[in-house]
Amino acid sequence: VPPPPLKIMISGAPASGKGTQCELITQKYGLVHISAGDLLRAEIASGSENGRLAKEHMETGQLVPNEIVVMMVKDRLSQTDAEQNGWLLDGYPRSSSQATALQGFGFHPDLFIVLEVPEDILVERVVGRRLDPVTGKIYHLKYSPPETEEIAARLTQRFDDTEEKASQYLYICFCFSRKVKLRLKTHNHNVSDVLSMYDDLIHTLSISIKGNRPKEEVFTQIDAALSEMLQQRNTDPSSL
Ligand code: AP5
């Protein structure tokens, strides 16, 4: 009997590189990428009342209330593709109550990854981030520039990344978007709560990854941890 598919959670401050690493992890391991932020942005785009409420919180860098987020994530994790192929949950849980809710529904991660990146680097990453609305791919003007002029011309910025479309990095650092600072504050407050909860679970391994390196090097660290975990599951099924 093959071991059950992998279940992974990835956590980190805004712009620590979660989405970027998720692209690389899913390419290699075929897990279903479920991003709480993407689910919320889709809800906003649908024009629903929940989407309207979510946007109010996201604009001010606050966590969206659990009443909206928890069921959204639970429903997505319960879909057949995630059950069959395994999942990579990005940006959830962000508080111990969210972690507890998921445990209550029977979703236990095998691995909890925390990306650690110094705050000054996070600022530069947010300011330079661009998204391709056609492919969904994440770019950075300096670190991951678009491959063609055509892609460059259609790139967009996320509504919560920056208030003013100022183009000079130093200027933005100086009067840097309050939204991003608030998102950082919320993250720092919650991450230690969530970590200590997963540390207590026998079948969940927690690892901290240094995210202040080129994305390929960050992925090499994650890849090594995943390969080791898979090898252990194959040779010692009792570890599951
Ligand atoms: P969410 O969409 O999850 O945003 P976030 O946590 O703020 O994280 P980001 O998506 O901004 O960054 P990322 O870590 O994915 O970095 P990326 O790979 O893009 O959440 C948004 C909001 O939704 C929250 O503020 C909250 O309001 C709400 N929300 C979400 N989940 C919730 C929950 N569970 N409960 C309640 N509310 C919730 O990289 C950033 C940039 O850096 C890119 O340009 C990239 O190209 C570049 N980059 C990445 N890696 C590297 C590298 N190694 N070197 C150089 N550049 C790099």
Side-chain angles (χ1 to χ4, degrees):
V1 183
L6 272 180
K7 292 162 283 176
I8 302 174
M9 290 177 178
I10 186 161
S11 160
S16 54
K18 300 183 292 295
T20 301
Q21 292 305 317
C22 286
E23 274 177 22
L24 299 170
I25 298 169
T26 46
Q27 264 167 32
K28 176 152 182 188
Y29 292 91
L31 305 174
V32 176
H33 177 209
I34 301 175
S35 151
D38 287 350
L39 291 177
L40 288 166
R41 282 183 285 277
E43 194 66 35
I44 294 173
S46 80
S48 71
E49 178 57 16
N50 274 351
R52 195 189 58 75
L53 275 169
K55 190 168 186 198
E56 269 177 27
H57 287 80
M58 290 165 80
E59 276 182 336
T60 53
Q62 304 293 313
L63 290 184
V64 173
N66 281 358
E67 299 82 81
I68 298 177
V69 179
V70 172
M71 291 314 282
M72 202 179 266
V73 170
K74 183 225 164 206
D75 288 347
R76 183 64 191 88
L77 285 170
S78 308
Q79 287 176 23
T80 322
D81 59 343
E83 277 178 0
Q84 285 179 348
N85 303 315
W87 43 258
L88 172 60
L89 184 55
D90 162 5
Y92 185 106
R94 296 201 192 211
S95 62
S96 47
S97 63
Q98 289 189 358
T100 309
L102 216 54
Q103 288 287 115
F105 291 123
F107 294 102
H108 312 288
D110 304 305
L111 180 66
F112 187 83
I113 301 172
V114 183
L115 288 179
E116 292 187 340
V117 178
E119 291 193 5
D120 51 337
I121 305 278
L122 297 173
V123 171
E124 190 189 10
R125 286 196 187 169
V126 170
V127 171
R129 171 170 43 198
R130 296 292 182 275
L131 299 174
D132 183 347
V134 176
T135 62
K137 192 169 169 195
I138 306 165
Y139 290 94
H140 190 281
L141 295 178
K142 183 167 158 196
Y143 300 114
S144 260
E147 296 88 353
T148 65
E149 287 287 319
E150 189 190 349
I151 297 175
R154 67 184 185 219
L155 294 182
T156 57
Q157 262 186 303
R158 243 170 57 177
F159 72 85
D160 56 344
D161 271 352
T162 168
E163 283 169 2
E164 56 287 279
K165 303 258 171 184
S167 58
Q168 286 174 10
Y169 171 59
L170 283 177
Y171 169 70
I172 299 177
C173 280
F174 178 65
C175 56
F176 188 65
S177 165
R178 275 183 59 240
K179 291 178 193 174
V180 174
K181 284 217 166 127
L182 274 166
R183 273 154 69 200
L184 262 178
K185 210 169 143 199
T186 310
H187 166 75
N188 291 339
H189 179 73
N190 288 320
V191 74
S192 53
D193 272 6
V194 173
L195 247 184
S196 65
M197 180 163 163
Y198 284 112
D199 272 348
D200 291 344
L201 289 174
I202 298 160
H203 290 297
T204 299
L205 177 70
S206 304
I207 53 164
S208 281
I209 298 285
K210 298 236 172 307
N212 184 16
R213 310 245 171 94
K215 66 178 182 180
E216 296 79 10
E217 284 181 33
V218 177
F219 179 63
T220 303
Q221 299 174 66
I222 295 177
D223 194 19
L226 285 177
S227 307
E228 195 184 323
M229 172 169 258
L230 282 175
Q231 203 176 356
Q232 198 188 346
R233 286 158 63 106
N234 288 332
T235 50
D236 178 15
S238 67
S239 67
L240 298 177

